[in-house]
Amino acid sequence: MTGPTVLAFEEREYTRAELDTAADGLAGVLAGRGVGAGQRVALMSSNRPEFVTAVLAVWRLGAAVVLLSPAWKRAEVAHALEITGARYALGDQPVLAELMDMISLDDPVPPAGRAFPAPAPGGDAVLVFSSGTTGMPKAVRHTHASFAAAVRHWRNALRLGSGDRIQVATPPSHILGILNIVTALECGAWVRLHRRFELERVLRTIESDKITIEMAVAPIALAMAQFPGLESYDLSSLRYIMWGATPVTASVAETVTRRTGVTWLPAYGASELPVIACNPIESPRLDSVGKAVPGVDVRVVSLADGQPVAPGEDGEIQLRAESLMAGYLPDSATAAALDDGWYRTGDVGNLDADGWLRLTDRSKEMIKVRGFQVAPAEIETVLHGHDAVADCAVFGIPDGANGEAIVAAVAISAPVTAEELMRTVRERLAGYKRLRQVQFVDEIPRLPSGKVLRRVLKERYGRPADE
């Protein structure tokens, strides 16, 4: 073993040299299959070290890695392959192997036969998926340059260094997962990769591995706050716990701090621009996602006329940065996301005179579930395919730390149960897109143009999911 270990998984640890050797060998295999600069390679993998070496291998060749969620079903994977044009595949998921000739991550990797040049900065590096308002997920394209900028922003915001130790229990196919892994590798920090999220294991690992920064999303925070044995774990190695993906639930954060003594560091990002704002480490606060990180410009514009608003006034948050995505696939979705070079987040909030940014609402129709964005139209398409459904509309209702729960209002033309409709969605789409409620209605409220009046549905059926 040469050099310090940088990655741990279950009982094994890896040095950077070992990861690089495996990546070089896999890159040789991919090159032998025809992978080269500018091409796209689909990667659908569970949490495991080979996910990391697969990403590095694709980048060795100047190609782009297309990150597919291991939770996806066949229709979602097929859609992602179609819009990205991925011609090659790596992974450990049967659903991908059924659709493409897939190199298994379980296959042995031969020794590398050659060196690889640095990829072109302007070439695509990573494609992740973000749901839009009009149907199936769209791909977010990041170049090597834009993703490298995001890594720099994250490293600086967290003050992540070679002495830090983090763990990743969330899917690395999500923007936060891949960002955490690559940032840690770039600065020489140590990473514990978990097969899946289990709270007791995560707490036990903080204690045994002396984790210094914990990366959390709302459901993890809520699980910690509600865990009866939280005080029995020694979490004193933590510098802070990062809260991302959804605005902080202050009562949950305060409960964890009271019980553990560990403070929170709220941050804000998006698939399209991974690091937007972060609280200062010396003086974090729970009522704001922080201040824009250096290198990211933020403005707030009126929802009525698109003009900049006064400090403290609500409007749409728009962003500009070198870490901004190169665009969407399909490319036709890109223009609507930009306003004269500014990325339109669809988030409503305000920016005070001192630069503190606050989120207050969403102007887009996406439903946010545990940090994932879900497009109502994607679920509506599945429901419309059921013979008993005459019309339907999908919307979100408050669901505590989970963000929102998904509800379908359904007008039927034949008898059908709510459970059957829920099962239909469950069988076709990823688990986080499952329906929590089905409301049978006589008709779906719409404008003369046909646009669904989701606001009306939320007013009628918008009780929090736990009521």
Side-chain angles (χ1 to χ4, degrees):
M1 184 177 289
T2 305
T5 60
V6 297
L7 181 72
F9 180 73
E10 296 179 342
E11 303 305 317
R12 179 159 181 205
E13 294 193 44
Y14 302 78
T15 65
R16 181 59 196 257
E18 287 176 313
L19 295 178
D20 285 337
T21 297
D24 289 344
L26 184 55
V29 173
L30 290 169
R33 296 285 186 97
V35 177
Q39 292 173 326
R40 294 173 180 146
V41 181
L43 174 59
M44 189 176 188
S45 168
S46 56
N47 289 24
R48 55 189 293 180
E50 292 81 5
F51 172 92
V52 180
T53 55
V55 171
L56 296 177
V58 172
W59 288 350
R60 293 283 199 276
L61 300 171
V65 61
V66 180
L67 297 182
L68 308 180
S69 169
W72 280 357
K73 305 292 175 63
R74 184 184 178 95
E76 295 163 300
V77 175
H79 168 77
L81 296 175
E82 180 182 357
I83 66 170
T84 61
R87 295 175 52 202
Y88 306 91
L90 289 166
D92 60 8
Q93 302 295 306
V95 64
L96 180 59
E98 291 170 3
L99 292 167
M100 290 187 72
D101 180 17
M102 184 188 80
I103 298 173
S104 172
L105 295 181
D106 295 316
D107 291 345
V109 177
R114 62 186 175 96
F116 301 95
D124 282 357
V126 59
L127 281 73
V128 294
F129 286 83
S130 176
S131 293
T133 60
T134 57
M136 294 289 277
K138 55 185 182 289
V140 177
R141 294 173 44 231
H142 277 286
T143 64
H144 288 279
S146 70
F147 193 72
V151 167
R152 289 195 303 273
H153 292 165
W154 199 221
R155 177 178 183 172
N156 293 337
L158 300 181
R159 294 189 189 167
L160 195 66
S162 58
D164 280 307
R165 301 167 71 85
I166 70 172
Q167 55 185 339
V168 174
T170 52
S173 55
H174 188 273
I175 190 65
L176 182 58
I178 185 70
L179 181 67
N180 284 334
I181 291 171
V182 174
T183 304
L185 289 177
E186 287 294 311
C187 68
W190 185 92
V191 183
R192 163 74 66 182
L193 188 61
H194 291 274
R195 191 177 295 276
R196 64 186 64 84
F197 173 73
E198 297 172 5
L199 180 60
E200 290 189 64
R201 182 181 298 273
V202 164
L203 294 172
R204 189 163 60 248
T205 305
I206 293 172
E207 183 176 89
S208 62
D209 288 340
K210 303 299 181 186
I211 299 297
T212 61
I213 299 173
E214 180 63 31
M215 308 291 186
V217 292
I220 295 176
L222 182 61
M224 292 178 71
Q226 296 177 343
F227 184 62
L230 185 61
E231 289 86 352
S232 66
Y233 293 90
D234 180 4
L235 308 184
S236 60
S237 61
L238 289 175
R239 293 167 52 200
Y240 53 78
I241 308 173
M242 190 282 301
W243 184 308
T246 58
V248 170
T249 305
S251 60
V252 172
E254 289 165 352
T255 296
V256 172
T257 299
R258 186 182 71 251
R259 296 180 63 190
T260 66
V262 183
T263 56
W264 292 84
L265 190 76
Y268 171 44
S271 297
E272 293 84 353
L273 205 159
V275 186
I276 297 168
C278 187
N279 267 254
I281 291 174
E282 302 84 1
S283 55
R285 45 198 282 187
L286 300 180
D287 66 339
S288 167
V289 293
K291 297 184 178 184
V293 300
V296 174
D297 297 326
V298 179
R299 72 177 185 181
V300 180
V301 304
S302 168
L303 296 173
D305 60 18
Q307 295 301 306
V309 299
E313 185 177 337
D314 275 359
E316 184 187 36
I317 297 167
Q318 297 188 353
L319 311 163
R320 217 169 40 179
E322 59 179 332
S323 55
L324 178 63
M325 67 171 181
Y328 289 120
L329 292 177
D331 186 61
S332 57
T334 304
L338 300 174
D339 179 6
D340 193 25
W342 291 83
Y343 168 59
R344 303 180 60 188
T345 66
D347 290 324
V348 177
N350 60 76
L351 188 68
D352 72 18
D354 295 320
W356 291 94
L357 183 63
R358 293 173 181 82
L359 305 182
T360 57
D361 204 350
R362 291 284 299 170
S363 66
K364 294 180 181 177
E365 293 179 342
M366 271 96 78
I367 303 166
K368 204 148 192 180
V369 181
R370 303 195 306 276
F372 294 97
Q373 294 185 67
V374 179
E378 183 180 3
I379 301 172
E380 288 164 0
T381 298
V382 173
L383 290 173
H384 276 298
H386 194 286
D387 291 340
V389 174
D391 198 3
C392 65
V394 171
F395 56 97
I397 62 174
D399 189 24
N402 286 323
E404 293 180 288
I406 304 172
V407 180
V410 180
I412 59 176
S413 56
V416 65
T417 65
E419 174 52 38
E420 182 177 342
L421 296 178
M422 290 179 176
R423 184 172 63 251
T424 298
V425 172
R426 195 164 57 239
E427 289 173 350
R428 291 284 305 279
L429 301 177
Y432 62 85
K433 300 174 186 178
R434 70 185 178 95
L435 290 174
R436 286 281 294 277
Q437 295 180 27
V438 172
Q439 298 283 349
F440 291 106
V441 300
D442 292 331
E443 64 178 2
I444 302 298
R446 296 179 182 272
L447 292 171
S449 64
K451 181 177 176 61
V452 174
L453 292 170
R454 298 185 204 277
R455 174 183 53 79
V456 173
L457 292 170
K458 288 188 178 187
E459 289 172 356
R460 291 177 185 171
Y461 310 110
R463 295 181 302 279
D466 57 358
E467 287 188 6

